[in-house]
Amino acid sequence: QVQLIESGGGSVQAGDSLRLSCAASGRTFYTLGWFRQAPGMEREFVAAISRSFGMTKYAESVKGRFTISRDNDNAKNMVYLEMSRLKPEDTAVYYCAADVNSGSLRYVALRAGEYRHWGQGTQVTVSS
């Protein structure tokens, strides 16, 4: 059974930092990514990382402030999102997502449709 469980969300002030974690288990995962959805908005890509070789992609809005990393060393694949210099516009529900179809160690999926499995989401609220 595939499970993606996010943790680490919360309420912070603008300029603060926050670290999100996602534990992915149940099968082999290729790209692991983070998306977010603000109220009344469509879900948008935030960051993603390949299975190996550390290939990463970021949305322009978070480049230089967010860092994605992953740990494949145990049965639970962990993916992290270090968020710094947070802004009120970063407020959203953040979702962890897993690509299981690409079969590539280097490929970084960018589109939501490329991800088959999703977590339940964790709320991040940034106050000004």
Side-chain angles (χ1 to χ4, degrees):
Q1 181 184 358
V2 174
Q3 282 190 312
L4 278 71
I5 302 174
E6 302 102 335
S7 61
S11 296
V12 296
Q13 298 291 316
D16 286 351
S17 298
L18 207 56
R19 187 197 201 204
L20 304 183
S21 300
C22 173
S25 60
R27 62 172 298 171
T28 299
F29 301 105
Y30 296 99
T31 311
L32 289 174
W34 289 95
F35 287 74
R36 66 187 182 187
Q37 188 167 19
M41 305 292 287
E42 292 189 357
R43 191 171 297 190
E44 65 173 358
F45 171 79
V46 176
I49 186 166
S50 60
R51 177 167 177 78
S52 299
F53 304 104
M55 310 300 287
T56 58
K57 295 287 186 185
Y58 295 93
E60 285 297 323
S61 59
V62 306
K63 273 185 183 177
R65 300 189 298 121
F66 290 12
T67 302
I68 189 170
S69 60
R70 74 186 279 176
D71 177 6
N72 296 335
D73 288 343
N74 49 42
K76 279 191 176 177
N77 295 264
M78 297 297 300
V79 61
Y80 306 98
L81 189 67
E82 298 274 0
M83 305 185 293
S84 63
R85 306 200 309 274
L86 282 161
K87 304 175 181 179
E89 50 263 46
D90 294 319
T91 295
V93 177
Y94 283 71
Y95 296 91
C96 175
D99 151 43
V100 299
N101 295 323
S102 70
S104 170
L105 300 181
R106 296 177 183 268
Y107 179 68
V108 181
L110 299 179
R111 298 183 302 273
E114 298 182 270
Y115 291 84
R116 181 170 179 181
H117 299 286
W118 295 81
Q120 293 299 306
T122 185
Q123 176 71 45
V124 173
T125 302
V126 185
S127 303
S128 58

